[in-house]
Structures are given as structure tokens and as C-alpha cells.
Amino acid sequence: MRLVISGQEYYCDNKELTAAQIMGKVLEISQSDNLVLSHMRIDGVNVYSNVESYLEEHFSTIECAEAVFVTVPELLHDIFDTTSEYLDRAIPELQELSEECYKAPNTGTWNKIGQLLEAIQWFQQTAIFVEEHRESIPDSFIHEKTFDFTNETSMLQEAVEQQDFILLGDIIQFEILTKFQEIAHQLQKMTSVEVDRHDLN
């Protein structure tokens, strides 16, 4: 197997090396170079998730595995772009979702609430990443607390457990929607500053 990491090539015997050892080497280099693993390109296939499992499953036949890295600022930029695109869709949908809760939720409503909880979980993970890489974020427009939905999640869970649909609608409209709008505003402000700096240069 030919293993490519940060431009360096390593030739490994598939019988003597394990998937865990390869991932260990990749993570070791990413940390020393202050990079983040984006994905692995394995025999031409881009693998973004469950990389180690994919390696294990195809280990005996892999000819070339290449680690593709991004810098922390690049990854943060991608995260913020993805977040902005999501918020553009989600903000109008949240208003509709709160109205559905007031009228009495149906199966479709519960599915949307499940999707909302997944999105909030992603925001929580983003908050952790932002906190860990605070020095890579321009100025102080985005703070990890911006993405922290701990209180809102607790309120949502309580409303769901109590089957209190009015409270559920209120939380979505006055707590979560407001926070989504705040995040969108902060991201827009940060993007505007980046554009202005680019114009000055």
C-alpha cells in the first residue's frame, strides 16, 4: 500500500499494518502540522466518514490511501458557509413549525422536531470546535456561546415530555428562532468584514 500524508509517501505492507495504525499516523501528522483531516482518498474514492472502518473493510486490496487535510481557518470558513446556507432554509421553516405546534403536531411535525434536534446537536459540536480554535477566527464576531443551545435543548425536552404543544411552539418561536436569527446576523457581519478586508487588499 502507498500511503500519502502531507506530500510524504510511505510504502507499507498491508499484512503488517492495521487501519488503526494508519489513522494514528495520519492524526499524529495532522496535529504536528496544525491541520484537520478532511477525508481520505482511497484508490480514488473520497471517504469522509467512518474512514477507519472503510480502511479495515478494504484493507487487503487497497493500493493507495491519501490523507486530505485542510487548515483550521479553511474548515471554519466551510462550517460557517454551511451554517449560513442551513439558516437561510431553516429560519422560515421554524416559523411554520411553531405554528404547527400551536395547531397540534402531527407525524410530520414530530419528524421536523427530530431534524431540529439533530441540527442543534450539530451546533453544539460547532461550539466545541469554535472554542478549541478561537485564535483562528477573525476578531470576535463568533463566540462559542453563540452556538450553545444547552438551555433551549432542556426546554424542548421538557415540553416534549409534558406533551405541552403550546410551550413547544413558544420555545421554537421565541427561543430557538431568535437564536437562529442571531447566528445568521453574526455570520453575515463576519462575512461583510472579510469582504471589506479583501477589497482593501
Side-chain angles (χ1 to χ4, degrees), residues 132-146:
E132 291 174 347
H133 300 92
R134 159 66 35 209
E135 72 284 352
S136 299
I137 302 173
D139 299 323
S140 301
F141 290 121
I142 297 295
H143 194 275
E144 58 269 18
K145 289 183 179 177
T146 305

PDB file of all heavy atoms in Angstrom, residues 132-146:
ATOM      1  N   GLU A 132     -12.233  25.502  20.689  1.00  0.00           N
ATOM      2  CA  GLU A 132     -10.893  24.937  20.591  1.00  0.00           C
ATOM      3  C   GLU A 132      -9.997  25.722  19.633  1.00  0.00           C
ATOM      4  O   GLU A 132      -8.776  25.646  19.732  1.00  0.00           O
ATOM      5  CB  GLU A 132     -10.979  23.474  20.126  1.00  0.00           C
ATOM      6  CG  GLU A 132     -11.577  22.539  21.170  1.00  0.00           C
ATOM      7  CD  GLU A 132     -11.794  21.138  20.635  1.00  0.00           C
ATOM      8  OE1 GLU A 132     -11.722  20.948  19.391  1.00  0.00           O
ATOM      9  OE2 GLU A 132     -12.043  20.232  21.446  1.00  0.00           O
ATOM     10  N   HIS A 133     -10.621  26.463  18.690  1.00  0.00           N
ATOM     11  CA  HIS A 133      -9.837  27.165  17.667  1.00  0.00           C
ATOM     12  C   HIS A 133     -10.156  28.661  17.643  1.00  0.00           C
ATOM     13  O   HIS A 133     -10.173  29.283  16.598  1.00  0.00           O
ATOM     14  CB  HIS A 133     -10.083  26.536  16.290  1.00  0.00           C
ATOM     15  CG  HIS A 133      -9.707  25.096  16.227  1.00  0.00           C
ATOM     16  ND1 HIS A 133     -10.612  24.087  16.476  1.00  0.00           N
ATOM     17  CD2 HIS A 133      -8.530  24.486  15.960  1.00  0.00           C
ATOM     18  CE1 HIS A 133     -10.000  22.918  16.353  1.00  0.00           C
ATOM     19  NE2 HIS A 133      -8.745  23.124  16.054  1.00  0.00           N
ATOM     20  N   ARG A 134     -10.373  29.206  18.814  1.00  0.00           N
ATOM     21  CA  ARG A 134     -10.737  30.616  18.950  1.00  0.00           C
ATOM     22  C   ARG A 134      -9.751  31.543  18.246  1.00  0.00           C
ATOM     23  O   ARG A 134     -10.127  32.517  17.603  1.00  0.00           O
ATOM     24  CB  ARG A 134     -10.821  30.922  20.457  1.00  0.00           C
ATOM     25  CG  ARG A 134     -10.706  32.366  20.873  1.00  0.00           C
ATOM     26  CD  ARG A 134     -11.805  33.286  20.448  1.00  0.00           C
ATOM     27  NE  ARG A 134     -13.124  32.710  20.418  1.00  0.00           N
ATOM     28  CZ  ARG A 134     -14.086  33.121  19.602  1.00  0.00           C
ATOM     29  NH1 ARG A 134     -13.850  34.078  18.739  1.00  0.00           N
ATOM     30  NH2 ARG A 134     -15.278  32.586  19.625  1.00  0.00           N
ATOM     31  N   GLU A 135      -8.452  31.215  18.317  1.00  0.00           N
ATOM     32  CA  GLU A 135      -7.433  32.113  17.761  1.00  0.00           C
ATOM     33  C   GLU A 135      -7.479  32.178  16.235  1.00  0.00           C
ATOM     34  O   GLU A 135      -6.915  33.101  15.634  1.00  0.00           O
ATOM     35  CB  GLU A 135      -6.029  31.682  18.215  1.00  0.00           C
ATOM     36  CG  GLU A 135      -5.498  30.412  17.571  1.00  0.00           C
ATOM     37  CD  GLU A 135      -6.118  29.124  18.127  1.00  0.00           C
ATOM     38  OE1 GLU A 135      -6.860  29.195  19.123  1.00  0.00           O
ATOM     39  OE2 GLU A 135      -5.864  28.057  17.550  1.00  0.00           O
ATOM     40  N   SER A 136      -8.164  31.231  15.596  1.00  0.00           N
ATOM     41  CA  SER A 136      -8.218  31.206  14.124  1.00  0.00           C
ATOM     42  C   SER A 136      -9.415  31.958  13.564  1.00  0.00           C
ATOM     43  O   SER A 136      -9.569  32.062  12.349  1.00  0.00           O
ATOM     44  CB  SER A 136      -8.269  29.752  13.632  1.00  0.00           C
ATOM     45  OG  SER A 136      -7.123  29.053  14.045  1.00  0.00           O
ATOM     46  N   ILE A 137     -10.268  32.492  14.436  1.00  0.00           N
ATOM     47  CA  ILE A 137     -11.476  33.185  13.987  1.00  0.00           C
ATOM     48  C   ILE A 137     -11.216  34.680  13.955  1.00  0.00           C
ATOM     49  O   ILE A 137     -10.727  35.249  14.937  1.00  0.00           O
ATOM     50  CB  ILE A 137     -12.667  32.875  14.915  1.00  0.00           C
ATOM     51  CG1 ILE A 137     -12.911  31.376  14.946  1.00  0.00           C
ATOM     52  CG2 ILE A 137     -13.922  33.614  14.461  1.00  0.00           C
ATOM     53  CD1 ILE A 137     -13.954  30.948  15.948  1.00  0.00           C
ATOM     54  N   PRO A 138     -11.527  35.343  12.838  1.00  0.00           N
ATOM     55  CA  PRO A 138     -11.265  36.782  12.743  1.00  0.00           C
ATOM     56  C   PRO A 138     -12.043  37.575  13.774  1.00  0.00           C
ATOM     57  O   PRO A 138     -13.245  37.388  13.939  1.00  0.00           O
ATOM     58  CB  PRO A 138     -11.720  37.136  11.316  1.00  0.00           C
ATOM     59  CG  PRO A 138     -12.627  36.029  10.902  1.00  0.00           C
ATOM     60  CD  PRO A 138     -12.154  34.820  11.633  1.00  0.00           C
ATOM     61  N   ASP A 139     -11.305  38.440  14.484  1.00  0.00           N
ATOM     62  CA  ASP A 139     -11.903  39.298  15.508  1.00  0.00           C
ATOM     63  C   ASP A 139     -12.704  38.456  16.504  1.00  0.00           C
ATOM     64  O   ASP A 139     -12.305  37.372  16.866  1.00  0.00           O
ATOM     65  CB  ASP A 139     -12.751  40.390  14.866  1.00  0.00           C
ATOM     66  CG  ASP A 139     -11.907  41.283  13.958  1.00  0.00           C
ATOM     67  OD1 ASP A 139     -10.751  41.540  14.319  1.00  0.00           O
ATOM     68  OD2 ASP A 139     -12.396  41.689  12.902  1.00  0.00           O
ATOM     69  N   SER A 140     -13.840  38.961  16.933  1.00  0.00           N
ATOM     70  CA  SER A 140     -14.608  38.223  17.941  1.00  0.00           C
ATOM     71  C   SER A 140     -16.083  38.181  17.570  1.00  0.00           C
ATOM     72  O   SER A 140     -16.960  38.254  18.425  1.00  0.00           O
ATOM     73  CB  SER A 140     -14.431  38.886  19.311  1.00  0.00           C
ATOM     74  OG  SER A 140     -13.080  38.919  19.671  1.00  0.00           O
ATOM     75  N   PHE A 141     -16.369  38.098  16.264  1.00  0.00           N
ATOM     76  CA  PHE A 141     -17.764  38.128  15.831  1.00  0.00           C
ATOM     77  C   PHE A 141     -18.516  36.863  16.225  1.00  0.00           C
ATOM     78  O   PHE A 141     -19.703  36.892  16.481  1.00  0.00           O
ATOM     79  CB  PHE A 141     -17.843  38.328  14.314  1.00  0.00           C
ATOM     80  CG  PHE A 141     -17.436  39.711  13.888  1.00  0.00           C
ATOM     81  CD1 PHE A 141     -16.381  39.889  13.025  1.00  0.00           C
ATOM     82  CD2 PHE A 141     -18.096  40.823  14.368  1.00  0.00           C
ATOM     83  CE1 PHE A 141     -15.989  41.153  12.629  1.00  0.00           C
ATOM     84  CE2 PHE A 141     -17.713  42.095  13.983  1.00  0.00           C
ATOM     85  CZ  PHE A 141     -16.663  42.258  13.109  1.00  0.00           C
ATOM     86  N   ILE A 142     -17.808  35.734  16.205  1.00  0.00           N
ATOM     87  CA  ILE A 142     -18.453  34.464  16.531  1.00  0.00           C
ATOM     88  C   ILE A 142     -17.848  33.931  17.813  1.00  0.00           C
ATOM     89  O   ILE A 142     -16.652  33.707  17.904  1.00  0.00           O
ATOM     90  CB  ILE A 142     -18.270  33.442  15.396  1.00  0.00           C
ATOM     91  CG1 ILE A 142     -18.946  33.938  14.119  1.00  0.00           C
ATOM     92  CG2 ILE A 142     -18.845  32.093  15.797  1.00  0.00           C
ATOM     93  CD1 ILE A 142     -20.462  34.051  14.204  1.00  0.00           C
ATOM     94  N   HIS A 143     -18.691  33.740  18.793  1.00  0.00           N
ATOM     95  CA  HIS A 143     -18.263  33.185  20.070  1.00  0.00           C
ATOM     96  C   HIS A 143     -18.900  31.817  20.214  1.00  0.00           C
ATOM     97  O   HIS A 143     -19.988  31.568  19.687  1.00  0.00           O
ATOM     98  CB  HIS A 143     -18.711  34.107  21.217  1.00  0.00           C
ATOM     99  CG  HIS A 143     -18.048  33.794  22.516  1.00  0.00           C
ATOM    100  ND1 HIS A 143     -18.528  32.833  23.370  1.00  0.00           N
ATOM    101  CD2 HIS A 143     -16.933  34.309  23.099  1.00  0.00           C
ATOM    102  CE1 HIS A 143     -17.745  32.768  24.437  1.00  0.00           C
ATOM    103  NE2 HIS A 143     -16.770  33.652  24.295  1.00  0.00           N
ATOM    104  N   GLU A 144     -18.207  30.907  20.928  1.00  0.00           N
ATOM    105  CA  GLU A 144     -18.756  29.557  21.072  1.00  0.00           C
ATOM    106  C   GLU A 144     -20.145  29.558  21.709  1.00  0.00           C
ATOM    107  O   GLU A 144     -20.985  28.707  21.409  1.00  0.00           O
ATOM    108  CB  GLU A 144     -17.809  28.654  21.867  1.00  0.00           C
ATOM    109  CG  GLU A 144     -17.450  29.132  23.265  1.00  0.00           C
ATOM    110  CD  GLU A 144     -16.201  29.996  23.282  1.00  0.00           C
ATOM    111  OE1 GLU A 144     -15.806  30.498  22.218  1.00  0.00           O
ATOM    112  OE2 GLU A 144     -15.652  30.185  24.380  1.00  0.00           O
ATOM    113  N   LYS A 145     -20.416  30.555  22.574  1.00  0.00           N
ATOM    114  CA  LYS A 145     -21.725  30.613  23.232  1.00  0.00           C
ATOM    115  C   LYS A 145     -22.844  30.898  22.232  1.00  0.00           C
ATOM    116  O   LYS A 145     -24.010  30.594  22.492  1.00  0.00           O
ATOM    117  CB  LYS A 145     -21.710  31.679  24.331  1.00  0.00           C
ATOM    118  CG  LYS A 145     -20.876  31.280  25.545  1.00  0.00           C
ATOM    119  CD  LYS A 145     -20.947  32.322  26.648  1.00  0.00           C
ATOM    120  CE  LYS A 145     -20.117  31.884  27.851  1.00  0.00           C
ATOM    121  NZ  LYS A 145     -20.113  32.909  28.917  1.00  0.00           N
ATOM    122  N   THR A 146     -22.473  31.481  21.088  1.00  0.00           N
ATOM    123  CA  THR A 146     -23.469  31.745  20.043  1.00  0.00           C
ATOM    124  C   THR A 146     -24.118  30.449  19.592  1.00  0.00           C
ATOM    125  O   THR A 146     -25.302  30.408  19.267  1.00  0.00           O
ATOM    126  CB  THR A 146     -22.803  32.430  18.829  1.00  0.00           C
ATOM    127  OG1 THR A 146     -22.134  33.606  19.282  1.00  0.00           O
ATOM    128  CG2 THR A 146     -23.825  32.815  17.773  1.00  0.00           C
TER     129      THR A 146
END
